[in-house]
Amino acid sequence: MDLATGRSAALALALALAVAGCGRDGDRQAVRAVAGGFYAAVAQHHGERACALLSADTRMALEQQESEPCARAVEKLSLKAERPATAEVYSSEALVRLVGGDTVFLGDTAHGWRISAAGCQMKGDREPADCELED
């Protein structure tokens, strides 16, 4: 392959990757907003607002675990983070890493992106995360 052909191939590959990633930019922004909104709502003691960002299964699991309504139970969570740092989206699932160490897992639902686990500390590549809240 000559230099001109190599450059053309590299340019075509870069363009294809850029186009393929464009649809995910909106999703990455959305999952960051949901994760950040959840942590802010918990910190400000806005239980109803925080619970609205949880998946139905996660909300139900929290209520069963704490034996009280989500709006009160969510305020008891020990979340150790500030703002979203990075987001990764994989089809209908996503994760957001927050400044301060927490990781949030989300799923794309009929109601938009919702949190399936929060307050997660990653242990390693092959071990499950240890989460404060999960379904």
Side-chain angles (χ1 to χ4, degrees):
M1 178 182 313
D2 66 7
L3 187 57
T5 304
R7 284 185 185 161
S8 295
L11 182 59
L13 177 60
L15 182 59
L17 290 174
V19 169
C22 285
R24 298 278 87 171
D25 282 343
D27 287 333
R28 282 191 290 272
Q29 290 173 358
V31 297
R32 276 191 192 106
V34 170
F38 175 75
Y39 274 69
V42 171
Q44 296 165 2
H45 303 288
H46 293 291
E48 285 296 325
R49 190 172 63 184
C51 290
L53 299 173
L54 298 175
S55 71
D57 289 342
T58 304
R59 184 179 183 140
M60 187 174 9
L62 177 62
E63 290 175 339
Q64 289 175 351
Q65 177 184 346
E66 298 298 325
S67 299
E68 61 185 347
C70 182
R72 277 189 290 201
V74 75
E75 292 180 12
K76 295 179 181 179
L77 296 174
S78 296
L79 303 177
K80 308 171 192 95
E82 298 171 20
R83 59 182 161 61
T86 62
E88 299 172 29
V89 178
Y90 308 96
S91 185
S92 62
E93 295 181 355
L95 70 86
V96 176
R97 290 183 179 87
L98 292 100
V99 173
D102 280 4
T103 299
V104 177
F105 294 91
L106 303 97
D108 192 8
T109 72
H111 304 288
W113 289 100
R114 294 294 181 263
I115 295 171
S116 57
C120 301
Q121 300 297 311
M122 305 303 285
K123 294 180 179 182
D125 290 341
R126 297 181 188 248
E127 294 183 45
D130 182 25
C131 299
E132 177 75 15
L133 169 66
E134 62 187 316
D135 60 9

